[in-house]
Amino acid sequence: MRLCFGFSLFCVGVIHYKTIGDFSSFVADGLGPLAKLGLAWGYILPGLMIVGGILFIIGMWPVAAVWVAGIALGSIPAGILLKSVLTPMALGDTMPGAI
């Protein structure tokens, strides 16, 4: 389970880095006044996924692996729901992605 989860997380991070410009724009889109922060987070998030995934795969520093992966994965629904708070986006538009 640890290896599969780590490998999946690693692959998703690599895929996001392959299209980093589009991904960062997607993250920033809809954040209103926090769009620049979202753009920066769009560059950081895939790196956290890659590092967390590698740490799970190699089985080193399990506490760090959990924290890095947890921050990456936890920020996704929080950021998506933040779009409904900061802009007129309807909760119905953001909730499916947050779930």
Side-chain angles (χ1 to χ4, degrees):
M1 183 65 141
R2 173 183 57 82
L3 294 174
C4 292
F5 177 72
F7 184 69
S8 298
L9 195 59
F10 171 78
C11 288
V12 171
V14 169
I15 291 166
H16 284 323
Y17 265 133
K18 287 174 71 174
T19 59
I20 194 66
D22 292 336
F23 178 70
S24 291
S25 296
F26 170 74
V27 172
D29 185 42
L31 285 177
L34 297 178
K36 288 184 180 183
L37 180 63
L39 189 67
W41 190 248
Y43 283 95
I44 295 168
L45 178 63
L48 292 174
M49 291 176 164
I50 291 169
V51 170
I54 289 172
L55 290 175
F56 273 114
I57 290 168
I58 62 176
M60 288 184 69
W61 303 310
V63 174
V66 169
W67 273 100
V68 171
I71 290 169
L73 295 176
S75 73
I76 295 169
I80 291 171
L81 292 173
L82 187 61
K83 292 180 180 189
S84 288
V85 171
L86 296 175
T87 64
M89 277 184 143
L91 185 60
D93 294 336
T94 58
M95 186 59 82
I99 292 172

